[in-house]
Amino acid sequence: MDSLHTFSASGTHTWGKHFGSLVVVIAFTILQVNGQGSWKLLSDNVGIASMHTAVTHYGSVIMLDRTNIGPSNITLPKGRCRNNPDDLMLKHDCYAHSVEFWPKSGRVRPLFIWSDTWCSSGQFGADGTLVQTGGDYTGISAIRRFVPCAESDGKCDWKEDKAKMYEHRWYASNQLLPDGTFIVVGGRAQFTLEFVPPKSGNATYLPLLEETNDFQADNMYPFVHLLPDGNLFIFANRDSIIYDYKKNLTLRKLPRIPGTPRSYPSAGSSVMLPLQAGDGFSRVEILICGGAQLGAWAHPERKLSAANDCGRMVVTDPDPEWIMEKMPIRRNMGDMVLLPNHHTLIINGAKRGSQGWGFAEDPALHPVEYDPYGTPGYRFTIMNPTFIPRLYHSTANLLPDGSVLLAGSNTHQFYTFNDTYNTELRVEQFLPEYLSSDYDYLRPVITESPKSVGHGENFTITVTIPSRPLFENQIELVLLSSPFTTHSYSQGQRMLNLGVEEPILLDADSGSYSYQITGRSPPSGNVAPAAYYMLFAVNYHVPGEAVWLQIVA
């Protein structure tokens, strides 16, 4: 149901099964709660509409639009310009199409990007470098790198590799692998994958991508998740496989998800739910929510209603099945963000239409928080709304303080400020309920921690609780990656709940409590590829601000 004027705490349960593909379908009256979470405007104008967003381990946010869009709202410094005879709009372009934004200070720094990053992919490497792949026109096979630096430095910028990828990669997905390289999967009219840096003499054919290429090409930006056994879960359209990329072998074909297409341009979203040390990081569950109706992209004038369901599947089960749950708000183009309290935030998007310029309307202004471990029928909670529509080309990224940064939205081919849904240059921050001052008495503060740790190693941190002792067995250490977010999918997003020994009380003076906590890092690069992660201490579901921890191979 889409009406948000009344709320009900009652729930009725309806179950159904059809045994052909052993799919359990659950329809519920959803618990709806108003008044949770809050919003803050971080910037009135960062100069560009961020189509692609990623948070560096220095705490800055790298934002990217496309280059062949004409003037942005911010110029390059000191008269620097891009002279590119192949640019479609400005051969002599003195505008920035990428910026670095610092959420705490509000500083915006223009960056120089050469080739076109339109609908590209990316991810952070082991040393914190943002590796960016593909795009369109001049950038369709490009490889770019951004090495982050401190705000006081302010000299880091984009660089382009001389080497190119084998294939054109427009609307492809990128996944960091355990050996520190990247796999780039699919793209428009591409049924192949390849590695960066190259691992073979050519791209590799992946049948799934051709098999899922319907009349809308709903196989773009496939959902790719690295599994703890070192294989990949790859999802396109409505189908998915377990894939051994080392042997180029499809190990399993998984059941088809019910309902609508879920990948671009139908624009559902996907996360791998948190991996748990308690089961040896062996149980893997995928959650996919929302999407556009089949035909919504091909017939945008119809403004068809978006999907109102989520599917979750334990892909490590011997006989996996999709469990379907009804969302309280229809949504396509939504972003899914893993939160340190183990919930998933579903935010941004529209209730009708699909991805594309002007193809959607009726913005989904209310975020929804999903508790994967809650009682069935009561897992969704509706949050307080924003007043800024975030539609096509918008993003959502977790920040180290536990809030979520919202950027972008441009439903037009060029920057447009006199239409129903204007090009959006504002940046917002959504603060989940756990950041309310009501929970400050529980909030852990990490005062000492290591900068780096190897796989399978014990490490200690010091945590201070402001006003009361730890609840017994309620302290958690959580690792969250920093993904590359674009087109409703956060590439490389993963969360790990680490093994923790019983905390040791160090001090209880001045009304605060200081503890030494020993955790154990993930056992291998399959579970957590070497990279920078946000390390959160979570006390009774309330996180403190994260510190950056580098997992080294």
Side-chain angles (χ1 to χ4, degrees):
M1 95 184 188
D2 292 334
S3 174
L4 301 173
H5 302 294
T6 61
F7 300 88
S8 172
S10 63
T12 57
H13 300 184
T14 303
W15 291 79
K17 280 191 178 183
H18 84 82
F19 294 93
S21 59
L22 198 60
V23 175
V24 179
V25 179
I26 311 173
F28 291 104
T29 299
I30 306 297
L31 170 67
Q32 301 183 78
V33 180
N34 195 15
Q36 294 199 18
S38 59
W39 292 85
K40 180 180 178 181
L41 186 66
L42 292 180
S43 176
D44 278 321
N45 184 352
V46 293
I48 70 167
S50 189
M51 184 187 304
H52 319 288
T53 309
V55 181
T56 77
H57 65 278
Y58 284 97
S60 64
V61 182
I62 305 303
M63 300 179 177
L64 283 157
D65 199 357
R66 44 189 265 244
T67 59
N68 62 348
I69 201 169
S72 70
N73 221 247
I74 186 170
T75 56
L76 290 164
K78 300 178 181 178
R80 191 180 187 189
C81 298
R82 186 173 59 95
N83 296 299
N84 187 344
D86 294 323
D87 194 279
L88 297 181
M89 293 301 301
L90 291 175
K91 313 297 184 185
H92 179 68
D93 186 359
C94 301
Y95 293 90
H97 303 288
S98 178
V99 300
E100 183 179 35
F101 174 66
W102 294 86
K104 290 187 176 181
S105 69
R107 181 188 177 201
V108 179
R109 186 169 69 92
L111 302 175
F112 185 94
I113 192 87
W114 174 260
S115 62
D116 188 20
T117 55
W118 187 8
C119 302
S120 51
S121 57
Q123 224 175 312
F124 288 104
D127 64 352
T129 298
L130 180 56
V131 178
Q132 226 267 325
T133 48
D136 193 23
Y137 294 102
T138 58
I140 202 162
S141 300
I143 303 170
R144 313 167 193 88
R145 299 175 192 270
F146 183 90
V147 180
C149 58
E151 185 173 9
S152 58
D153 183 336
K155 296 179 181 178
C156 45
D157 211 337
W158 287 101
K159 294 184 178 180
E160 305 231 358
D161 287 7
K162 292 182 179 179
K164 304 289 185 183
M165 291 185 291
Y166 293 119
E167 300 279 12
H168 293 172
R169 299 291 173 189
W170 192 24
Y171 301 95
S173 293
N174 189 310
Q175 173 62 55
L176 176 64
L177 297 175
D179 64 359
T181 63
F182 303 86
I183 190 169
V184 187
V185 182
R188 182 181 288 277
Q190 286 294 352
F191 308 137
T192 63
L193 56 85
E194 62 181 285
F195 300 91
V196 174
K199 287 189 175 182
S200 62
N202 211 331
T204 301
Y205 174 65
L206 185 65
L208 172 74
L209 298 175
E210 186 167 19
E211 293 165 0
T212 54
N213 186 37
D214 63 16
F215 68 95
Q216 295 187 142
D218 280 308
N219 63 349
M220 292 181 283
Y221 277 127
F223 305 144
V224 183
H225 299 290
L226 175 66
L227 303 177
D229 63 2
N231 296 309
L232 297 174
F233 170 87
I234 303 178
F235 179 102
N237 199 322
R238 294 173 56 201
D239 294 332
S240 54
I241 60 172
I242 305 298
Y243 177 70
D244 183 337
Y245 65 89
K246 294 179 180 178
K247 298 179 180 178
N248 183 27
L249 185 64
T250 296
L251 302 177
R252 299 174 68 188
K253 289 189 175 182
L254 299 168
R256 174 171 290 179
I257 193 170
T260 65
R262 308 290 174 162
S263 46
Y264 185 91
S266 289
S269 190
S270 171
V271 295
M272 182 169 65
L273 292 177
L275 300 174
Q276 306 287 341
D279 60 24
F281 304 105
S282 62
R283 187 178 191 272
V284 180
E285 191 164 12
I286 301 296
L287 177 69
I288 296 175
C289 292
Q293 280 196 47
L294 181 63
W297 185 84
H299 301 283
E301 73 282 357
R302 297 180 185 176
K303 297 295 190 291
L304 297 174
S305 294
N308 66 346
D309 58 359
C310 292
R312 53 190 289 183
M313 179 169 63
V314 181
V315 300
T316 48
D317 276 358
D319 190 15
E321 58 188 17
W322 288 103
I323 306 297
M324 304 303 295
E325 297 178 86
K326 186 177 179 181
M327 296 191 294
I329 299 173
R330 294 181 180 274
R331 194 181 307 256
N332 70 72
M333 296 186 293
D335 288 281
M336 294 169 67
V337 181
L338 295 172
L339 301 177
N341 66 348
H342 292 250
H343 292 185
T344 297
L345 185 70
I346 308 171
I347 197 167
N348 294 339
K351 300 174 189 176
R352 292 194 288 161
S354 75
Q355 302 229 37
W357 289 313
F359 285 12
E361 61 183 37
D362 199 3
L365 299 176
H366 289 73
V368 171
E369 198 166 313
Y370 176 78
D371 178 3
Y373 311 112
T375 302
Y378 300 92
R379 290 174 173 161
F380 295 93
T381 303
I382 297 175
M383 302 284 111
N384 280 325
T386 180
F387 62 91
I388 300 176
R390 300 281 181 185
L391 301 172
Y392 191 43
H393 292 157
S394 60
T395 59
N397 293 74
L398 183 71
L399 294 175
D401 65 1
S403 67
V404 177
L405 181 138
L406 291 310
S409 187
N410 191 6
T411 67
H412 312 281
Q413 187 172 2
F414 307 109
Y415 281 19
T416 305
F417 301 102
N418 57 357
D419 211 320
T420 304
Y421 302 119
N422 288 330
T423 301
E424 192 53 69
L425 306 180
R426 290 172 290 184
V427 173
E428 294 171 286
Q429 181 183 29
F430 176 72
L431 297 93
E433 185 66 14
Y434 56 61
L435 291 179
S436 165
S437 60
D438 293 342
Y439 299 102
D440 283 350
Y441 74 100
L442 292 172
R443 199 169 317 284
V445 178
I446 299 175
T447 56
E448 294 182 27
S449 65
K451 298 295 185 183
S452 63
V453 65
H455 288 113
E457 294 182 359
N458 288 343
F459 65 95
T460 59
I461 66 170
T462 302
V463 170
T464 298
I465 308 297
S467 61
R468 63 178 299 165
L470 286 172
F471 285 109
E472 185 178 1
N473 299 323
Q474 287 297 336
I475 192 70
E476 297 176 295
L477 296 184
V478 169
L479 284 183
L480 272 153
S481 67
S482 182
F484 178 90
T485 301
T486 188
H487 290 76
S488 304
Y489 175 52
S490 288
Q491 301 174 19
Q493 184 173 208
R494 75 198 292 112
M495 175 174 167
L496 303 102
N497 195 39
L498 304 181
V500 176
E501 296 181 6
E502 185 175 349
I504 299 173
L505 179 63
L506 300 177
D507 184 34
D509 291 339
S510 304
S512 65
Y513 298 81
S514 181
Y515 291 88
Q516 177 181 292
I517 300 174
T518 298
R520 187 165 183 82
S521 65
S524 71
N526 291 342
V527 177
Y532 282 90
Y533 293 80
M534 289 176 270
L535 173 66
F536 288 91
V538 183
N539 179 32
Y540 205 69
H541 312 299
V542 176
E545 183 157 356
V547 296
W548 289 96
L549 179 66
Q550 186 181 21
I551 304 295
V552 295

